[in-house]
Amino acid sequence: MSQKWNPDTYAKHARFVSDLATPLLELLKPQPGERILELGCGDGALAAKLVECGCTVVGVDTSPEMVAAARRRGVTAYLMNAQSLSFDAEFDAVFSNAAIHWMKRPGDVIAGVWRVLKPGGRFVGEFGGRGNVATVVAALKAALTARGIPARSVDPWYFPDAEEYKARLEAEGFRVWGAALVPRPTPLPTGLEGWLKVFAQEFLNLILESDRQSFIEEVARRCSPGLRDANGVCVLDYVRLRFIATKPVALPDTSRC
């Protein structure tokens, strides 16, 4: 991945990502004494809230900078790819917010979560689903095409629909209690340009550095008619896929009774 994460830039332009995770934490229902793994912990903002609930939390992330920021919050965090987890049946819950859509091998993620959960453990998450930031994606691809760059040359995200992801979970053995797309129009506190610099780096890296600012401005202009509200604020067309699933407790073998 050419995507890089800077904790300070993220906090400035994207703090809303963790601030809007309250419904997900309510779905998780963390209990004191539980051991919880967070996939894509970022700078540890949500992990720290779980610690305050009395949980023992382990975070993993692929960004050294974000792992260091999480550790500065007092979070136990490891540099680890969630597509190749190295734990074994030790967590009561696995939790993830706004990270799974960066993981292009969803089968490996789900298999790893199954492996690290205790029987009866739950997998709770929210990430970009089908139609997420569709206006921006279309504008990015149109601006690339206008510069003679094939739009198909970059595809950083995995945005499935709910039924597809539910089927993947069930194929691994999970019991799925809920999986749904949740439209969530989201005002951007620092505007679309700031969002693009944080989240669309794989698109921007295809553009000469001297031309990137004009590219960003062009994308913002293309998005403006569909994303600007009456007050001129950019409201991004987020669609989140929110789910909860559990790893069943194995039943006793009665075949010999």
Side-chain angles (χ1 to χ4, degrees), residues 3-256:
Q3 177 76 26
K4 303 294 182 184
W5 300 99
N6 180 295
D8 294 332
T9 303
Y10 189 88
K12 177 181 179 181
H13 296 294
R15 180 51 62 207
F16 66 88
V17 174
S18 56
D19 289 345
L20 293 175
T22 298
L24 188 59
L25 293 177
E26 292 173 350
L27 187 63
L28 177 65
K29 296 180 180 178
Q31 301 299 312
E34 285 192 316
R35 184 169 172 81
I36 298 177
L37 174 66
E38 184 180 4
L39 307 184
C41 66
D43 62 4
L46 291 178
K49 290 184 178 181
L50 296 177
V51 171
E52 291 173 1
C53 293
C55 302
T56 298
V57 184
V58 175
V60 297
D61 204 285
T62 57
S63 166
E65 295 80 9
M66 287 297 206
V67 167
R71 289 173 176 171
R72 287 195 292 271
R73 290 181 184 269
V75 173
T76 300
Y78 297 104
L79 187 64
M80 187 183 300
N81 193 319
Q83 298 171 128
S84 53
L85 295 170
S86 59
F87 305 103
D88 185 32
E90 60 184 271
F91 293 99
D92 299 292
V94 175
F95 166 75
S96 186
N97 178 57
I100 293 174
H101 55 255
W102 293 99
M103 304 171 192
K104 300 296 290 294
R105 305 196 320 264
D108 290 342
V109 174
I110 293 170
V113 171
W114 176 273
R115 186 176 62 254
V116 306
L117 277 175
K118 300 175 183 177
R122 60 203 187 278
F123 182 21
V124 180
E126 180 179 301
F127 63 102
R130 182 67 53 84
N132 191 58
V133 298
T135 302
V136 177
V137 171
L140 284 163
K141 291 183 176 181
L144 287 177
T145 300
R147 286 165 168 76
I149 301 172
R152 64 180 180 276
S153 63
V154 56
D155 183 18
W157 299 305
Y158 166 64
F159 293 150
D161 61 32
E163 287 304 312
E164 175 192 336
Y165 204 69
K166 179 174 183 285
R168 286 183 179 275
L169 289 166
E170 290 176 336
E172 189 62 41
F174 281 100
R175 181 169 184 179
V176 181
W177 298 97
L181 293 179
V182 181
R184 195 197 68 195
T186 303
L188 298 181
T190 59
L192 184 58
E193 291 191 17
W195 187 94
L196 290 168
K197 290 174 182 178
V198 173
F199 295 109
Q201 293 173 33
E202 292 203 30
F203 293 90
L204 301 182
N205 289 342
L206 295 176
I207 306 298
L208 291 174
E209 189 170 355
S210 59
D211 192 34
R212 275 181 204 164
Q213 184 58 37
S214 64
F215 178 82
I216 289 170
E217 292 169 0
E218 178 185 342
V219 171
R221 285 195 302 272
R222 288 177 180 271
C223 292
S224 185
L227 298 182
R228 295 284 177 187
D229 67 10
N231 297 315
V233 175
C234 182
V235 180
L236 201 54
D237 50 348
Y238 270 103
V239 179
R240 314 313 272 174
L241 198 167
R242 189 178 300 160
F243 67 91
I244 179 169
T246 54
K247 178 178 180 177
V249 177
L251 296 175
D253 183 2
T254 60
S255 62
R256 299 182 184 180

